[in-house]
Amino acid sequence: MASFVTVFYNSECVLECLAVEGHAGIKKSGEGYEVCIALSTLTQALYRTVIASIGNDFFIYKINNGFLSLELINYDKLENDKKKEYKIVSNGYLIGIKSLIKEYPDFIKYKEEYKNGT
């Protein structure tokens, strides 16, 4: 079983929405938990970091057994320095996720979508 990570970018190529579904690599008791834990930890760290630096008013966060999503809202209302902070933090997250996927390609599937259709 694999987790599915879907990332949506806005027209400025800024991470606008992130969805993580499934439990990466969990086949039977004791197998694959480390990948699932790593993916969950990275994603929750992203959430906590952006909330601490940008504020709760700019995000919708949902978590439920095997599903986690983070959506950036009102990006156009963010101050420029907060936009810059968000880009740095979200790009760091994506570097971490892509590294994890490279190491465990059978456990995590990744998809990117852009608002401008690319």
Side-chain angles (χ1 to χ4, degrees):
M1 184 175 184
S3 283
F4 295 92
V5 177
T6 306
V7 176
F8 298 92
Y9 293 95
N10 68 14
S11 58
E12 297 178 36
C13 293
V14 174
L15 190 149
E16 184 174 80
C17 185
L18 163 71
V20 179
E21 297 180 68
H23 293 285
I26 298 176
K27 295 178 182 176
K28 51 184 159 173
S29 182
E31 289 185 19
Y33 284 100
E34 66 279 357
V35 180
C36 191
I37 291 167
L39 178 60
S40 180
T41 300
L42 282 170
T43 305
Q44 290 186 46
L46 168 68
Y47 169 69
R48 289 175 183 13
T49 302
V50 296
I51 293 304
S53 64
I54 304 281
N56 202 31
D57 296 338
F58 294 94
F59 299 95
I60 298 171
Y61 178 73
K62 297 176 187 172
I63 187 167
N64 189 8
N65 189 26
F67 176 80
L68 188 150
S69 71
L70 178 66
E71 181 180 358
L72 173 65
I73 55 174
N74 300 321
Y75 178 74
D76 56 326
K77 294 180 182 176
L78 273 174
E79 297 171 10
N80 285 336
D81 61 329
K82 296 296 181 183
K83 286 181 180 180
K84 190 181 289 187
E85 271 185 64
Y86 178 73
K87 288 177 186 178
I88 291 168
V89 171
S90 62
N91 285 337
Y93 168 79
L94 292 171
I95 289 168
I97 288 296
K98 289 176 181 179
S99 295
L100 191 60
I101 292 166
K102 188 175 181 179
E103 193 164 335
Y104 301 99
D106 294 336
F107 297 114
I108 305 170
K109 304 303 176 197
Y110 181 81
K111 180 180 178 183
E112 292 181 339
E113 293 185 17
Y114 295 83
K115 273 203 172 174
N116 63 1
T118 59

